[in-house]
Amino acid sequence: MTLLEARGLTRHFGGLKAVDGVDFTLAEGEIHALIGPNGAGKTTFVSLLCGRIPVQSGSIRFDGADITRMPAHRRVRRGIAYTFQITQVFANLTVFDNVALAVQRRGGHLAEETQAALSRVGLAERAGQIAGTLSYGHQRVLEIAMGLALQPRLLILDEPTQGLANAEIETFKDLVRQIVPETTVLLIEHNMDVVMDLAQRITVLNFGEVLATGTPEAIRANPAVQAAYLGG
């Protein structure tokens, strides 16, 4: 089943064609990676999907409904959660309170659902710790817990392994595998080992356009992708 579908999605900034007529389909329950060179339009594209940046032309459908002009907060309520490229935790609050804010935003059962989200990502024992004192890796995991607390149908992760040690990356991969197929994951990632290990399908953006979409094997073997990004 198709969960999200974008058609002809466009966003220009002056003469820069950040996203230029992109067609994109996301299947429910999959891990789908979005890759491409720096400046390819990846973060702009997902910002269009989640409503942080308005669409200039084209359409977005989520779970069968047109959300093209829907504001970001309403997309969250419909089930789209987006974690940022740079950690966005509240450093002066406890781990528990960071997640509780996300639960409260959705109107859920505060203590029960907060604890469940923390347990899901392995942070239950750190619930009382001040978030700013966590290691960088644990802060990234906390950010995922905040996203999961919204109980999203779609979780968009923007460079989640940036700055993580190898052991932390393995923990992250295990976590992502655990949350599908209940939650669909769209992953923006430069670490190609992570992409090839996790993703069922990959879309490659280049100069704001889709260069290729396919399985990891097909993307790895694609000459155009090798020339533009993989360097092989």
Side-chain angles (χ1 to χ4, degrees), residues 6-11 19-22 45 48-49 55 57-60:
R7 288 290 173 262
L9 214 56
T10 298
R11 179 70 204 201
V19 176
D20 197 28
V22 168
F45 175 67
L48 296 175
L49 297 183
V55 172
S57 63
S59 64
I60 307 168

Side-chain angles (χ1 to χ4, degrees), residues 95 99 114-124 138 140-149 171 175-176 178-179:
V95 168
V99 178
T114 298
Q115 203 61 41
L118 290 173
S119 296
R120 197 171 180 188
V121 302
L123 288 179
H138 280 128
R140 298 312 301 256
V141 173
L142 174 57
E143 191 184 23
I144 294 173
M146 293 163 68
L148 291 175
T171 299
L175 173 59
V176 171
Q178 289 170 22
I179 66 178

Side-chain angles (χ1 to χ4, degrees), residues 29-35 144 157 159-161 164 168-180 183-189 191-202 214-217 220:
E30 74 171 333
I31 302 171
H32 193 124
L34 188 66
I35 67 172
I144 294 173
L157 301 172
E159 299 287 358
T161 68
L164 298 189
E168 293 171 329
I169 289 174
E170 291 305 314
T171 299
F172 165 78
K173 290 193 292 187
D174 289 341
L175 173 59
V176 171
R177 292 187 185 104
Q178 289 170 22
I179 66 178
V180 294
T183 302
T184 302
V185 173
L186 177 58
L187 177 70
I188 305 173
E189 183 56 69
N191 186 322
M192 292 310 299
D193 289 337
V194 172
V195 169
M196 294 298 176
D197 199 20
L198 280 180
Q200 291 142 327
R201 286 198 302 151
I202 300 170
T215 64
E217 294 76 17
R220 190 184 280 117

Side-chain angles (χ1 to χ4, degrees), residues 2-66:
T2 297
L3 179 64
L4 182 143
E5 182 178 44
R7 288 290 173 262
L9 214 56
T10 298
R11 179 70 204 201
H12 297 172
F13 298 97
L16 174 65
K17 297 180 179 180
V19 176
D20 197 28
V22 168
D23 292 338
F24 178 79
T25 301
L26 191 61
E28 187 165 20
E30 74 171 333
I31 302 171
H32 193 124
L34 188 66
I35 67 172
N38 289 328
K42 303 181 297 296
T43 295
T44 300
F45 175 67
V46 296
S47 294
L48 296 175
L49 297 183
C50 70
R52 294 181 66 234
I53 297 175
V55 172
Q56 280 180 319
S57 63
S59 64
I60 307 168
R61 299 187 70 82
F62 182 73
D63 197 23
D66 190 333

